[in-house]
C-alpha cells in the first residue's frame, strides 16, 4: 500500500492497533522499516536522546531536517512524520506552513504539531489543505513544559478530559489524521478514543488507544538518563554496547585485536626487502 494517512484510519476502523516508533538515523530507520512499523516519528525528543540537550527547546528546524533526511533514506516503506520543533510554527501561519513544507521536502510524509489553540487549529487546516498531513499531540506536550510545570499527567479529572476531547474534536475537524495522547490515565484515553473518529496514538495513555508510540531508544534500553514509568524495556542495548566496548578495549590493550584474521598480508619478497632495510 502506498504511504498515506488513509492507512491509519483503516487500521483503526478494522480494530488493528497502530505501532509507531521514533527514529533519528539511517540504520535505525532501516531496522524499523524492516520490522514493518506503521509509522516512524522523527521526534524532537532527539534533542535529548541524540544531541544530549536537557529538553526539546533548543532543537531547530534546520537540525531536524538533517535527521529527517537520514531517516527517509533508511525507511523506504514506513510512513515518516517530522516533529515541528518549539516555536517553529507559533509565530504565524506562514511560518508554520513554510517550516512544515521544509519537512515534507526533506522526506517526511506528515508533520506533528503539539497543543491546541485557534492558531494551531487554523494551521492544521491550512497544512492539510496544502497536502501536508498533520498528526496532533495533546495531553502532556513537552514544548509547554514551563507552562504545565513539568512532566504532569493530564486528563486526571472528567472536566479536564472533556476539555482535551473538545480540542481533539476541533483538530479532527480541521483535518488532523490522528492525535498523540501523552501521559493520560488509561480510562480517560479510552474515553477520548471512543469519542473521536480519528486514531489516537498513546504514550503513557494505556492500552485502549488506537495505537502506541514510544521513543525507540527508551524501549531498547539505549537511552538511560531517565526511565519513564510507561516504558517497558524490550532489549538492553546500553549493556550490550558497554560490554562490547569493554571487550574491545581489553583486546586492544592485550594485543589480541587485531589478530591475523583482521590483518592484511605482505608477500614474501616485499617482506624480505623490508627486513633488509631493518
Ligand atoms: O518527540 C517525540 O519523540 C515525541 C513522542 C510522542 C514520542 O513527541
Amino acid at each position: 500500500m502506498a504511504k498515506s494517512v488513509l492507512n491509519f484510519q483503516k487500521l483503526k476502523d478494522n480494530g488493528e492497533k497502530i505501532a509507531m516508533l521514533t527514529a533519528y538515523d539511517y540504520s535505525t530507520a532501516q531496522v524499523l522499516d524492516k520490522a514493518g512499523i506503521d509509522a516512524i516519528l522523527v521526534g524532537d525528543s532527539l534533542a535529548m536522546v541524540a544531541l544530549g540537550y536537557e529538553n526539546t527547546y533548543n532543537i531547530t528546524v534546520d537540525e531536524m531536517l538533517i535527521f529527517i533526511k537520514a531517516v527517509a533514506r533508511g525507511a523506504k516503506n514506513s510512513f515518516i512524520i517530522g516533529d515541528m520543533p518549539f516555536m517553529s510554527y507559533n509565530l504565524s501561519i506562514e511560518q508554520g506552513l513554510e517550516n512544515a513544507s521544509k519537512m515534507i521536502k526533506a522526506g517526511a510524509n506528515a508533520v506533528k504539531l503539539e497543543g491546541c489553540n485557534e492558531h494551531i487549529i487554523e494551521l492544521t487546516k491550512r497544512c492539510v489543505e496544502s497536502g501536508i498531513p498533520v498528526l496532533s499531540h495533546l495531553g502532556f506536550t513537552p514544548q509547554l513544559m514551563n507552562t504545565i510545570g513539568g512532566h504532569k499527567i493530564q486528563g486526571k479529572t472528567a472536566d479536564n478530559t472533556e476539555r482535551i476531547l473538545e480540542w481533539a474534536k476541533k483538530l479532527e475537524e480541521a483535518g488532523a489524521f490522528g492525535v498523540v495522547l501523552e501521559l493520560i490515565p488509561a480510562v480517560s484515553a479510552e474515553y477520548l478514543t471512543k469519542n473521536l473518529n480519528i486514531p489516537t496514538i498513546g504514550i503513557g495513555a494505556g492500552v485502549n488507544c488506537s495505537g502506541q508510540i514510544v521513543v525507540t531508544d527508551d524501549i531498547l534500553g539505549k537511552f538511560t538518563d531517565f526511565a519513564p514509568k510507561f516504558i517497558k524495556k524490550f532489549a538492553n542495548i546500553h549493556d550490550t554496547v558497554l560490554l562490547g566496548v569493554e571487550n574491545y578495549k581489553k583486546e586492544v590493550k592485550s594485543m589480541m585485536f587485531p589478530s591475523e584474521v583482521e590483518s592484511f598480508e605482505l608477500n614474501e619478497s616485499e617482506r624480505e626487502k623490508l627486513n633488509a632495510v631493518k
Side-chain angles (χ1 to χ4, degrees), residues 58-211:
N58 288 308
I59 189 97
T60 65
V61 170
D62 286 344
E63 286 170 315
M64 290 296 296
L65 296 180
I66 296 169
F67 294 95
I68 290 172
K69 285 179 190 167
V71 168
R73 285 190 285 266
K76 298 285 173 244
N77 304 302
S78 303
F79 191 86
I80 300 166
I81 303 160
D83 213 357
M84 295 280 280
F86 179 63
M87 290 308 287
S88 67
Y89 53 99
N90 313 73
L91 301 182
S92 66
I93 297 292
E94 285 63 36
Q95 181 220 20
L97 282 171
E98 193 178 343
N99 285 328
S101 79
K102 284 184 187 167
M103 301 227 157
I104 302 296
K105 285 177 186 168
N109 304 108
V111 298
K112 179 165 80 60
L113 300 177
E114 282 189 17
C116 185
N117 53 38
E118 288 311 318
H119 170 72
I120 290 172
I121 292 167
E122 180 59 19
L123 179 59
T124 300
K125 195 163 166 274
R126 294 283 298 279
C127 281
V128 175
E129 282 169 0
S130 310
I132 301 175
V134 173
L135 177 65
S136 300
H137 185 160
L138 297 175
F140 172 68
T141 46
Q143 291 174 17
L144 289 181
M145 192 147 73
N146 289 333
T147 314
I148 297 169
H151 289 81
K152 287 203 180 140
I153 298 170
Q154 306 295 307
K156 272 168 75 173
T157 63
D159 278 355
N160 187 233
T161 305
E162 289 297 348
R163 196 136 61 92
I164 298 173
L165 180 61
E166 207 178 296
W167 291 334
K169 280 192 166 166
K170 286 184 179 172
L171 292 163
E172 176 176 290
E173 210 173 299
F177 72 87
V179 55
V180 170
L181 299 177
E182 181 161 358
L183 281 187
I184 291 183
V187 171
S188 310
E190 183 178 4
Y191 176 79
L192 295 167
T193 304
K194 280 190 180 148
N195 285 284
L196 288 167
N197 294 315
I198 53 173
T200 57
I201 310 297
I203 170 162
V207 77
N208 286 314
C209 293
S210 319

Side-chain angles (χ1 to χ4, degrees), residues 22 24 41 43-45 83 112 137 180 182 203 213-215:
T22 59
Y24 317 128
L41 171 71
D44 61 358
S45 53
D83 213 357
K112 179 165 80 60
H137 185 160
V180 170
E182 181 161 358
I203 170 162
I213 179 146
V214 279
V215 170

Side-chain angles (χ1 to χ4, degrees), residues 222-233:
K222 187 168 173 231
F223 182 69
T224 54
D225 283 7
F226 50 84
K229 170 184 158 55
F230 56 81
I231 286 302
K232 176 175 173 178
K233 280 210 182 133

